Amino acid sequence: MRITLLAATALSLVPMTLAAQTASPAPAAPAPAAAIAANPLLADWTGPYGGVPPWDKVTPALFPQAMEVAIAERRAEYRRIADNPAPATFANTFVPMQNAGKRLGRVLAVFGVMTSNMNSPAYQALDREWSPKLSAAGDEITFDPKLFARIQAIYDARTASGLDAQQQRLVTRTYDSYVRQGAKLNAAQKAEMSRINQALATEFSTFSEKLLADEGTAITVTDEAMLAGLPDSVKATAKAAAQERGQPGFAIVNTRSAVDPVLTFGTDRALREKVWRTFVNRGDNGGATDTNATIARIVKLRAERAKLLGFPTHAHWRMQDTMAKTPQAATDLMMRVWPAATARVKQEVADMQAIAAKEGTPITIEPWDYRFYQEKVRKARYDLDQTELKPYFALNNIIDASYYAANRLYGLNFKEITGQVPVFEKNVRVFHVTDKNGKEVGLFYRDDFARTGKRSGAWATTYRSQRNLAPAQNVLSSNNNNFASAAPGQPVLISLDDAETLFHEFGHAIHSMLQDVNYPGLTGTPRDFVEYPSQVNEHWLLTRDVLDKYARHYQTKAPMPQALLDKVIAAQTFNQGFATVEYLSSAIVDMKLHTVADGVVDADAFEKAALAEIGMPKEIVMRHRLPQFNHLFSSDAYSAGYYSYLWSETMDADTWAAFEEAGSPWDKATADRFAKVLLSTGNETDRAEAYRAFRGRDPDVNALLKVRGFPTTN
C-alpha cells in the first residue's frame, strides 16, 4: 500500500476553488481579447494532441492577470446561467454549468504544477495571495440564490422530467454538493461561511510553505565514516545534495526519500537518531516554520464550518460523499485491523531485540533502530538483502514494465514524444497514449526526480480530464515521483518500494486514461475510492511475466532469479506490523482530531493523548505526525479521509483475489470487467454498487488481513 498524495484538476460539481473573495460581483463580461492575446496562460491550449499546456512560457508574473481575467469570465458564465429568463432545464442550466470555468481550470492546472513541482518564493507569495481570493470566487457562485433556485427546480423534477440515469445522477450529486457547501444558508451565514473558507485557504498556504521550508533543510556530514553501511548510490545522492547547496561532504535532505535509506542501512546509531529526530520533528521545532498554531487554527475553523452547516463535526461533513459515509464506519474498519497490527509489532520488536543481543549490542530498540534491525531480521529469516534487489530495478525498465502491463490488461499503448511538446522541467518525459484500436487517449507526463522546490512524496495529477460532452476532450495526465537521480552515465536504480510506488501512481494514471464519461461532473470519485485503482495496480509488478521481461540486472541483463523472487514473496508479509501501525496510527489520529466537536486542540498534546489511548507501540512513530501532515493541512482533500487508503486496500485485496480465482493475473475476462465496470465509469454510478456489480458482493476484509499476514476473522 503506497501512502501518496493524489492531486486532480478535473472540473468539480461546484466551482473549482482553492479558497474565495468577498468583493461584489463584477459585471458580466467576456474575457478581454487583448489580455488573452498577451498572456499565454489565458490562451486556449494549442498544438497537437488536443492542445497542450504552454509550460515553456509560464512565469510567476503572468498569474495575477490570468487569475483576474479567468475568474471574471467564469463569473460572467455563471451569471448568464442564473439570469436566464427561461424556466430552468437540464439543457439550459446543467449543460452550460459543465462548460463554465474552463479557462480558469486551465490556469489553475498550471498553477498547481508550479506550486507543487517548481515551487519558489514567488509562487509561495502568489499562493498566499490568491488562495483566499479563489475560495471567495467559488463561494460567490455556490451562494448565488438565483443559480441555486434553478438547480433545485431541476432537482425537484428530476424523476418526472425525462432525464436519463446519468443526468439524474449529475443533478442529484450537484444539488447535494451545493447544499453541503452552504447554498441553503441565509445571507449572514453565507458571509460567515465565506470568511471561514478564505481563512482556511490562507492557513493551508501557510502550512505548506512552512513544511516545505523544513523539508528543504539538510544534515551535513563531513566525515564519510559516519555513512558506513550506506549503499554507494545513497552516498552519491547525499554528495550531490551537498554540492547543490554549496556545502562540503554529504547532505542528508530532510525528506523521506533521503532519510529512509540512512535509517535502513546506516550503522552509525547516533547519526540514525539525529536524522530520525530531525525528520519526525518537521514543523515542530518552534520558530518561523512551526506549524502547531496553524494546525490549531485550521481544526478550529473546520469545526466552525461544520457547525454552521449543521454537522456534528468536520469528519461528519467530509464523509457525506464517501463510501464509508460515517466516521464510525471508517473507525470500525481501522479498529478491526489495529489489534492484529500492534500484536505483530510486539513480535517484530522481539525478533529485532534478539538479534541485537546476539550481536552483543546492549540496546533497547528505539524508533531510529526499527528499519535498521528489521533488515537484519529479513536477512536472517529470508536470506534477503534489499540491496540484492536494486540492480534489477532500473528506473527506465520499470517504467517500460508499467506500460507493458497496461497494454496487456487494457490495450493502452505508449509512444515517447519527449521534445515534441513543452515541459515545465528539462527531465520531464512525455508519452502519447492510444487505445487498442489506435484511437488517441491523450498524453502522459512523467516528472520522476527529486529537486529543491518540489514537494516530497509521490502523486498523480490530471491537467485535463476526458469528457464526451461537446466539446469532447482527451486526457492530459501525469505522475510525479521523488527518485534520486544517478551519477552521469549511470542507470537510475530504484528500490522495490520505489518500484511499487511507481506502479501505484501509474494506477491513478490508468484510471484517468480509461475513463469514458459524458459529463465532467461525474468524473471525480469518493476519496475512499480514489486510491483503489492505484493500489490494485501494484500487484502486477511482481508477476513473473513482468519480471522476466523488465526486471533484468542492469549489468548482466539476466532476469531476476526465481530463487530471489521466492524470497521476496516469502517476505511479503514481513514487517507488516510496522507498515500497518505506522500508517494506521496516522489515520486514526486524523479521524479522532476531526471528530472533536469544537475543534479546540493543541496538536502536540492531542497527538500524544490519542496515541496513548489506542496503545501506540513506543518503537514506532506515526508515518505523518500532525505538525507535518500535508495530507490534512495543505487542503481539505484528505482531512478525515486518511483512512481511505485502508478502505481502498480492502477492495484492492479482494479485487486481486478475483484475478487469482480466475487463474491468472492476466485473465482477460476479469480485466475487461474491472475496466468496464469500475475504471471507465468515473462516478456515473454509486461506487459501492459498481463494486458489487464487479465482484458480486461487498469486499471481504479477510482478503486484506490475508495479504498483510494477519489472522482472518469470521
Side-chain angles (χ1 to χ4, degrees), residues 644-665:
S644 61
Y645 288 95
L646 188 69
W647 192 274
S648 292
E649 194 186 359
T650 303
M651 295 184 290
D652 144 42
D654 195 49
T655 297
W656 185 245
F659 280 92
E660 291 179 323
E661 291 162 13
S664 168

Short mmCIF file of all heavy atoms in Angstrom, two decimals, residues 644-665:
data_model
loop_
_atom_site.label_atom_id
_atom_site.label_comp_id
_atom_site.label_asym_id
_atom_site.label_seq_id
_atom_site.Cartn_x
_atom_site.Cartn_y
_atom_site.Cartn_z
N SER A 644 -8.87 6.38 4.02
CA SER A 644 -9.30 5.92 2.70
C SER A 644 -8.34 4.92 2.08
O SER A 644 -8.75 4.07 1.28
CB SER A 644 -9.50 7.12 1.77
OG SER A 644 -8.29 7.83 1.59
N TYR A 645 -7.05 4.99 2.43
CA TYR A 645 -6.10 4.02 1.89
C TYR A 645 -6.47 2.61 2.36
O TYR A 645 -6.39 1.65 1.59
CB TYR A 645 -4.68 4.35 2.33
CG TYR A 645 -4.10 5.57 1.64
CD1 TYR A 645 -4.17 6.82 2.24
CD2 TYR A 645 -3.48 5.46 0.41
CE1 TYR A 645 -3.63 7.94 1.62
CE2 TYR A 645 -2.95 6.57 -0.22
CZ TYR A 645 -3.02 7.82 0.39
OH TYR A 645 -2.50 8.91 -0.23
N LEU A 646 -6.87 2.48 3.62
CA LEU A 646 -7.24 1.17 4.13
C LEU A 646 -8.56 0.71 3.52
O LEU A 646 -8.72 -0.46 3.17
CB LEU A 646 -7.35 1.21 5.66
CG LEU A 646 -7.55 -0.15 6.34
CD1 LEU A 646 -6.29 -1.00 6.21
CD2 LEU A 646 -7.91 0.03 7.82
N TRP A 647 -9.51 1.63 3.40
CA TRP A 647 -10.80 1.31 2.78
C TRP A 647 -10.57 0.83 1.35
O TRP A 647 -11.12 -0.18 0.92
CB TRP A 647 -11.70 2.54 2.80
CG TRP A 647 -13.12 2.26 2.46
CD1 TRP A 647 -13.67 2.21 1.21
CD2 TRP A 647 -14.19 1.97 3.37
NE1 TRP A 647 -15.01 1.93 1.28
CE2 TRP A 647 -15.36 1.77 2.60
CE3 TRP A 647 -14.28 1.88 4.76
CZ2 TRP A 647 -16.59 1.50 3.17
CZ3 TRP A 647 -15.52 1.60 5.33
CH2 TRP A 647 -16.65 1.41 4.55
N SER A 648 -9.73 1.57 0.62
CA SER A 648 -9.43 1.20 -0.76
C SER A 648 -8.68 -0.12 -0.83
O SER A 648 -8.89 -0.93 -1.73
CB SER A 648 -8.61 2.30 -1.44
OG SER A 648 -9.37 3.48 -1.62
N GLU A 649 -7.78 -0.34 0.15
CA GLU A 649 -6.99 -1.56 0.12
C GLU A 649 -7.85 -2.80 0.37
O GLU A 649 -7.53 -3.89 -0.11
CB GLU A 649 -5.85 -1.51 1.14
CG GLU A 649 -4.82 -2.60 0.90
CD GLU A 649 -3.75 -2.67 1.97
OE1 GLU A 649 -3.79 -1.87 2.91
OE2 GLU A 649 -2.89 -3.56 1.86
N THR A 650 -8.94 -2.61 1.10
CA THR A 650 -9.85 -3.74 1.30
C THR A 650 -10.42 -4.18 -0.04
O THR A 650 -10.47 -5.38 -0.36
CB THR A 650 -10.98 -3.35 2.27
OG1 THR A 650 -10.41 -2.90 3.50
CG2 THR A 650 -11.90 -4.52 2.54
N MET A 651 -10.83 -3.20 -0.86
CA MET A 651 -11.33 -3.53 -2.20
C MET A 651 -10.20 -4.04 -3.09
O MET A 651 -10.39 -4.96 -3.89
CB MET A 651 -11.97 -2.29 -2.83
CG MET A 651 -13.22 -1.81 -2.11
SD MET A 651 -14.03 -0.43 -2.95
CE MET A 651 -12.85 0.90 -2.66
N ASP A 652 -9.02 -3.43 -2.94
CA ASP A 652 -7.86 -3.83 -3.74
C ASP A 652 -7.51 -5.31 -3.50
O ASP A 652 -7.33 -6.08 -4.45
CB ASP A 652 -6.70 -2.89 -3.39
CG ASP A 652 -5.33 -3.57 -3.38
OD1 ASP A 652 -5.05 -4.37 -4.28
OD2 ASP A 652 -4.54 -3.27 -2.47
N ALA A 653 -7.41 -5.71 -2.24
CA ALA A 653 -7.04 -7.09 -1.93
C ALA A 653 -8.09 -8.06 -2.46
O ALA A 653 -7.77 -9.13 -2.98
CB ALA A 653 -6.87 -7.26 -0.42
N ASP A 654 -9.35 -7.66 -2.34
CA ASP A 654 -10.44 -8.52 -2.80
C ASP A 654 -10.47 -8.59 -4.32
O ASP A 654 -10.84 -9.62 -4.90
CB ASP A 654 -11.76 -7.98 -2.25
CG ASP A 654 -12.90 -8.97 -2.36
OD1 ASP A 654 -12.71 -10.14 -1.97
OD2 ASP A 654 -13.97 -8.58 -2.85
N THR A 655 -10.07 -7.50 -4.98
CA THR A 655 -10.02 -7.49 -6.45
C THR A 655 -8.90 -8.39 -6.95
O THR A 655 -9.08 -9.14 -7.92
CB THR A 655 -9.81 -6.05 -6.95
OG1 THR A 655 -10.94 -5.26 -6.57
CG2 THR A 655 -9.66 -6.02 -8.47
N TRP A 656 -7.74 -8.32 -6.31
CA TRP A 656 -6.65 -9.21 -6.71
C TRP A 656 -7.04 -10.67 -6.50
O TRP A 656 -6.68 -11.54 -7.30
CB TRP A 656 -5.38 -8.87 -5.93
CG TRP A 656 -4.18 -9.65 -6.37
CD1 TRP A 656 -3.48 -10.57 -5.65
CD2 TRP A 656 -3.54 -9.58 -7.65
NE1 TRP A 656 -2.44 -11.08 -6.39
CE2 TRP A 656 -2.45 -10.49 -7.63
CE3 TRP A 656 -3.77 -8.84 -8.80
CZ2 TRP A 656 -1.60 -10.68 -8.72
CZ3 TRP A 656 -2.93 -9.03 -9.90
CH2 TRP A 656 -1.86 -9.93 -9.84
N ALA A 657 -7.81 -10.91 -5.46
CA ALA A 657 -8.31 -12.28 -5.23
C ALA A 657 -9.18 -12.74 -6.41
O ALA A 657 -9.19 -13.93 -6.74
CB ALA A 657 -9.10 -12.33 -3.93
N ALA A 658 -9.89 -11.79 -7.04
CA ALA A 658 -10.72 -12.15 -8.20
C ALA A 658 -9.84 -12.65 -9.35
O ALA A 658 -10.18 -13.61 -10.04
CB ALA A 658 -11.55 -10.95 -8.65
N PHE A 659 -8.70 -11.98 -9.57
CA PHE A 659 -7.78 -12.45 -10.61
C PHE A 659 -7.19 -13.82 -10.24
O PHE A 659 -7.04 -14.70 -11.10
CB PHE A 659 -6.66 -11.43 -10.82
CG PHE A 659 -7.06 -10.25 -11.67
CD1 PHE A 659 -7.56 -9.10 -11.10
CD2 PHE A 659 -6.93 -10.31 -13.05
CE1 PHE A 659 -7.92 -8.01 -11.88
CE2 PHE A 659 -7.29 -9.23 -13.85
CZ PHE A 659 -7.79 -8.07 -13.25
N GLU A 660 -6.86 -13.99 -8.96
CA GLU A 660 -6.32 -15.27 -8.52
C GLU A 660 -7.35 -16.38 -8.71
O GLU A 660 -7.02 -17.49 -9.15
CB GLU A 660 -5.90 -15.18 -7.05
CG GLU A 660 -4.69 -14.29 -6.82
CD GLU A 660 -4.30 -14.18 -5.36
OE1 GLU A 660 -5.21 -14.14 -4.50
OE2 GLU A 660 -3.09 -14.13 -5.08
N GLU A 661 -8.60 -16.09 -8.39
CA GLU A 661 -9.66 -17.09 -8.57
C GLU A 661 -9.86 -17.43 -10.03
O GLU A 661 -10.23 -18.57 -10.38
CB GLU A 661 -10.97 -16.56 -7.97
CG GLU A 661 -10.95 -16.46 -6.45
CD GLU A 661 -12.05 -15.55 -5.91
OE1 GLU A 661 -12.97 -15.19 -6.69
OE2 GLU A 661 -11.98 -15.18 -4.72
N ALA A 662 -9.58 -16.45 -10.92
CA ALA A 662 -9.72 -16.69 -12.36
C ALA A 662 -8.54 -17.49 -12.92
O ALA A 662 -8.59 -17.94 -14.07
CB ALA A 662 -9.85 -15.36 -13.10
N GLY A 663 -7.49 -17.64 -12.12
CA GLY A 663 -6.37 -18.49 -12.51
C GLY A 663 -5.19 -17.78 -13.13
O GLY A 663 -4.17 -18.41 -13.42
N SER A 664 -5.29 -16.44 -13.32
CA SER A 664 -4.18 -15.72 -13.94
C SER A 664 -4.31 -14.23 -13.67
O SER A 664 -5.41 -13.68 -13.73
CB SER A 664 -4.17 -15.93 -15.46
OG SER A 664 -3.26 -15.03 -16.09
N PRO A 665 -3.17 -13.55 -13.41
CA PRO A 665 -3.24 -12.09 -13.24
C PRO A 665 -3.57 -11.38 -14.55
O PRO A 665 -3.88 -10.18 -14.54
CB PRO A 665 -1.82 -11.74 -12.78
CG PRO A 665 -0.95 -12.83 -13.27
CD PRO A 665 -1.80 -14.06 -13.22
#
